Amino acid sequence: MQNTPSPIKTGLALGSGAARGLAHIGVLKALEEADVHFDLIAGTSMGAFIGALYAADVPIRRIEETARKIDWKSLARLLDPVLPTSGLIDGKKLMAFMAELLPVRTFEELTIPLAVTTTDIETGEALIIKQGDLLKALRAGLAFPGIFSPARFGNRFLVDGGLCHPVPTDVVRNLGAERVIGVCAIPEVAKQTPEAFLPFDQTSPQGTRPWRERFTASGIEQLMRRVLKQNDQASTLSEESDRRAPGIFRVCAQSVAIMENEINQLRLERNSRDLIIRPSLNDITLLEFHRAEEIIAAGEASTRAAMPDIHKLLNSD
């Protein structure tokens, strides 16, 4: 990949979204095919990781191939459970995985300047990292609250930047971008039917759905119990009905999704931005990495549809 600087500085803001964030790969692929270049990248959560790979000159084809190979088994191997204190997963295996893919270790080695968004979990302050240890910054930026332990930076404890910057358009603009293309992989939170919160053996008459079909946002609790070797006693019965209350992991994931939607809506309305690409991902849930092919395709399709507006944006005075 060669990135030719344009006379007008163009920034790319890649947002959060967990598995949905794989849509960024399709966006980058379509932009490359259309010979659209940019000078700066800001990334949140999954957007930060994919942005870092691209900024480090990892070919988009290799990024796509890696994403397509991820299934529930390979993802489970990246989880290193710890005794629950500030998180359930330590994150060392995730860092090792990122280190294998990234050919550089510092921000200064990147071909395209990158900013990674994080959040100080104690103060609520947004902290933007753009120099020094790249892996450490990405580990902090990917620390989903309550699931991954916060990353320590000096006296700070940092987590996912999506709490403050779901789509970091203002961050890349503050880096010096005059034109900003933002990518939002967060669909609106759909209203859930009661059945969506039932255990798998109640949502499926046969109770025999294969694991890769169970690997959805509503299956976070079951996945984590499997990894942590916990039993199925975490959910409790409501006094008013025989329907089980959503488990802790479902509650955590849905809470963050609702919050990010609200923050995202407010920021996109308030911030000065030029163009937002929003792939159609309404039926994709938090951990459906095994659906990488269709997620990436959604990113490609939305970017191609926006291409006339992109060219108009980049060629305007």
Side-chain angles (χ1 to χ4, degrees):
M1 174 192 70
Q2 291 184 343
N3 193 70
T4 304
S6 57
I8 298 177
K9 283 190 176 296
T10 304
L12 190 65
L14 302 178
S16 56
R20 305 177 191 113
L22 297 178
H24 299 317
I25 299 172
V27 171
L28 289 166
K29 187 176 177 183
L31 289 174
E32 252 195 22
E33 289 174 355
D35 201 30
V36 173
H37 304 289
F38 39 90
D39 309 286
L40 304 160
I41 301 175
T44 294
S45 194
M46 181 59 73
F49 182 38
I50 293 174
L53 291 171
Y54 197 74
D57 273 343
V58 178
I60 193 66
R61 246 181 220 184
R62 186 185 171 199
I63 301 174
E64 182 177 9
E65 287 171 2
T66 301
R68 288 174 181 271
K69 291 177 183 177
I70 298 176
D71 55 19
W72 75 267
K73 289 183 179 179
S74 59
L75 187 60
R77 285 195 291 269
L78 296 178
L79 305 181
D80 38 3
V82 293
L83 288 176
T85 52
S86 55
L88 297 171
I89 305 298
D90 184 69
K92 290 180 180 177
K93 289 184 178 180
L94 178 62
M95 283 189 72
F97 172 73
M98 291 191 292
E100 287 180 9
L101 295 177
L102 278 166
V104 302
R105 292 294 177 269
T106 67
F107 282 85
E108 290 74 14
E109 297 173 86
L110 296 171
T111 302
I112 305 172
L114 171 74
V116 174
T117 72
T118 67
T119 304
D120 186 319
I121 194 60
E122 295 179 306
T123 67
E125 178 187 2
L127 183 67
I128 312 303
I129 306 175
K130 50 188 177 181
Q131 60 185 14
D133 191 324
L134 179 59
L135 283 173
K136 194 173 179 182
L138 290 173
R139 163 65 180 86
L142 287 164
F144 191 89
I147 303 299
F148 283 94
S149 300
R152 184 163 190 164
F153 265 69
N155 291 325
R156 292 178 180 265
F157 292 94
L158 305 181
V159 296
D160 195 322
L163 301 184
C164 293
H165 294 283
V167 181
T169 52
D170 54 341
V171 176
V172 74
R173 187 174 290 281
N174 288 338
L175 289 179
E178 300 167 80
R179 300 286 189 273
V180 176
I181 299 173
V183 185
C184 180
I186 307 170
E188 294 183 8
V189 176
K191 300 294 183 182
Q192 299 288 342
T193 61
E195 289 75 17
F197 294 95
L198 291 173
F200 286 119
D201 59 350
Q202 290 178 262
T203 56
S204 174
Q206 293 79 22
T208 56
R209 293 170 64 190
W211 258 102
R212 67 189 186 94
E213 290 182 16
R214 297 182 181 192
F215 199 51
T216 64
S218 62
I220 296 174
E221 183 174 2
Q222 286 82 349
L223 170 67
M224 298 301 296
R225 284 189 186 132
R226 183 182 180 91
V227 175
L228 296 171
K229 297 182 179 179
Q230 294 177 347
N231 58 32
D232 195 33
Q233 296 176 351
S235 294
T236 57
L237 291 174
S238 167
E239 293 181 359
E240 282 113 6
S241 71
D242 60 353
R243 187 164 70 84
R244 289 186 183 274
I248 182 173
F249 304 108
R250 173 67 181 179
V251 169
C252 181
Q254 189 72 353
S255 297
V256 171
I258 293 169
M259 177 189 61
E260 285 195 346
N261 266 274
E262 293 299 318
I263 296 172
N264 194 48
Q265 189 62 35
L266 289 171
R267 283 193 174 274
L268 292 183
E269 288 176 356
R270 186 189 69 189
N271 292 341
S272 172
R273 86 272 188 191
D274 294 299
L275 180 67
I276 295 293
I277 298 172
R278 193 162 196 170
S280 178
L281 300 166
N282 290 330
D283 66 330
I284 305 292
T285 50
L286 190 68
L287 291 178
E288 291 187 302
F289 285 90
H290 65 280
R291 298 175 68 180
E293 183 174 354
E294 57 188 293
I295 297 172
I296 293 170
E300 286 186 65
S302 61
T303 306
R304 291 197 179 103
M307 202 57 69
D309 292 329
I310 293 173
H311 284 303
K312 183 179 178 180
L313 168 71
L314 300 184
N315 293 323
S316 63
D317 294 330

